[in-house]
Amino acid sequence: YKELKKEIEDFLEILPLLKELSKQSIKLRHWNEVMDVTHKNLPIDSDVFHLATLLDANLLEYKEAIEEITDSADKQLAIETKLHEIKEAWSHEAFEFATWKTREYPCVLVGSKVHSVQEALEESLMNLTAMNAMRHVTPFRDEVQSKLLQLSDTSDVIERWVKVQMLWTSLEAVFTGGDIAKQLPVEAKKFQQIDKDWSKIMGRAAETLNVVQCCQNDMLRNLLPILQQNLEKCQKSLESYLEAKRNKFPRFYFVSNPVLLKILSQGSDPESIQDDFEKLFDSINRVVFDRREKKHMIKFKCVLGKDEEVVDMSEPVKAEGNIEDWLRSLEKEMQKTMRDIVSRAAA
């Protein structure tokens, strides 16, 4: 009876261990660890691997060590599952592309999608960094570090890609037409090559779609730094150009760079900048052009609510040549006209 009782008690004590060893998380490597601990050769891949084999292995003697192995197996399964989820997610994550202005082919990344991709990347990198710091990551360390490096590299490429896109979209209208391109011919020619390379990499990326695959493309990775460097040079030249224009006509300091670019790019068509006069002059909303001499400005117009005031210029001003020159002439004529009106009123 006592022997039977002890046998039952031993079995009840070993039962939790057997349950732990039968879990899905227990892999071949864990059985190898159990054999190392117990110094028993267990035929785990054999048809003769029965419960009696485990009972004969005297597992209770190594209970703590085996419990540590099974606990580690659970944590490794959690790491393996999370790593699989991350890999699966990035195997399907794709960019979205859109057209730009008059271009009917995909040439820009959709900003909202890029933002969500960057957020997902940040979360995945955080999870992989945490995994890499765990002591149970050993069987998957190479995979985790490889994925960590891949996604970190992807994040860096996207960050540079977005910067290049911002530069390209801000300069595209400036250097592909209008008066500014004519006045900066060297930069305009350089931008033509930039534009070709940009269209090329965006076309390839739009065909690929997958985020990680796009960012691993050698052409994209090689061209982005060059495009960024050349676009920054174009931007610097443009800023110097704008500063020179502001020095010639200080009222340009009243407007932002985008507005000034719009004004300068349409300088050869004075009618097109009518809406911008009020940004440069305090009480001039528009000017009136002579019906016969289309380039001659003959009247100032100011609109306040429903009220409108029109003042005849003392002498017509010709809107011809560089825009800063005829705007400066317009400014002088405004001052001269006001002096003439005040003189007549005082006489």
Side-chain angles (χ1 to χ4, degrees), residues 125-305:
L125 287 170
M126 184 175 63
N127 288 331
L128 287 168
T129 302
M131 282 183 214
N132 196 41
M134 295 177 181
R135 70 185 183 92
H136 302 288
V137 77
T138 305
F140 316 106
R141 190 177 298 281
D142 290 343
E143 285 184 78
V144 169
Q145 290 180 345
S146 174
K147 200 65 185 176
L148 185 59
L149 182 63
Q150 185 190 63
L151 294 187
S152 179
D153 189 51
T154 299
S155 179
D156 291 341
V157 171
I158 291 174
E159 189 176 346
R160 186 188 290 271
W161 198 349
V162 169
K163 286 179 182 176
V164 172
Q165 176 167 298
M166 288 175 66
L167 286 167
W168 180 82
T169 52
S170 66
L171 297 175
E172 187 262 351
V174 176
F175 289 114
T176 54
D179 295 352
I180 298 177
K182 295 174 185 175
Q183 295 187 44
L184 294 172
V186 175
E187 287 74 14
K189 188 175 180 181
K190 184 185 291 184
F191 190 84
Q192 285 179 2
Q193 184 58 48
I194 292 171
D195 192 55
K196 286 179 184 176
D197 289 340
W198 175 257
S199 298
K200 193 187 298 180
I201 64 173
M202 294 306 287
R204 180 72 60 85
E207 290 174 5
T208 307
L209 290 177
N210 182 268
V211 171
V212 175
Q213 290 177 18
C214 281
C215 294
Q216 287 181 327
N217 180 270
D218 289 336
M219 183 175 71
L220 179 81
R221 293 164 64 87
N222 293 332
L223 280 177
L224 280 180
I226 298 170
L227 289 176
Q228 184 176 10
Q229 185 179 16
N230 290 334
L231 282 166
E232 285 173 350
K233 286 179 182 177
C234 289
Q235 187 179 47
K236 192 173 181 180
S237 298
L238 182 62
E239 287 172 355
S240 298
Y241 168 79
L242 295 180
E243 187 63 23
K245 293 293 183 181
R246 285 180 168 124
N247 287 334
K248 288 183 179 179
F249 186 61
R251 285 177 181 263
F252 282 152
Y253 281 107
F254 296 158
V255 298
S256 63
N257 281 356
V259 173
L260 181 54
L261 285 170
K262 174 179 173 289
I263 293 171
L264 294 175
S265 64
Q266 298 174 339
S268 58
D269 181 17
E271 275 285 359
S272 65
I273 65 164
Q274 286 276 28
D275 294 336
D276 299 306
F277 278 115
E278 62 182 352
K279 300 181 182 79
L280 301 170
F281 301 95
D282 189 35
S283 297
I284 299 176
N285 294 96
R286 303 178 75 81
V287 295
V288 178
F289 287 88
D290 191 288
R291 289 185 179 180
R292 286 175 296 179
E293 297 289 340
K294 301 294 184 181
K295 294 281 186 178
H296 285 193
M297 297 175 283
I298 57 175
K299 296 179 182 181
F300 300 109
K301 183 184 287 188
C302 180
V303 179
L304 290 173

Side-chain angles (χ1 to χ4, degrees), residues 86-111:
I86 291 173
K87 285 183 174 181
E88 188 69 16
W90 290 106
S91 68
H92 295 98
E93 190 68 63
F95 284 122
E96 290 178 7
F97 295 85
T99 56
W100 176 255
K101 294 186 177 177
T102 57
R103 302 183 186 225
E104 296 180 357
Y105 53 90
C107 52
V108 290
L109 293 164
V110 175

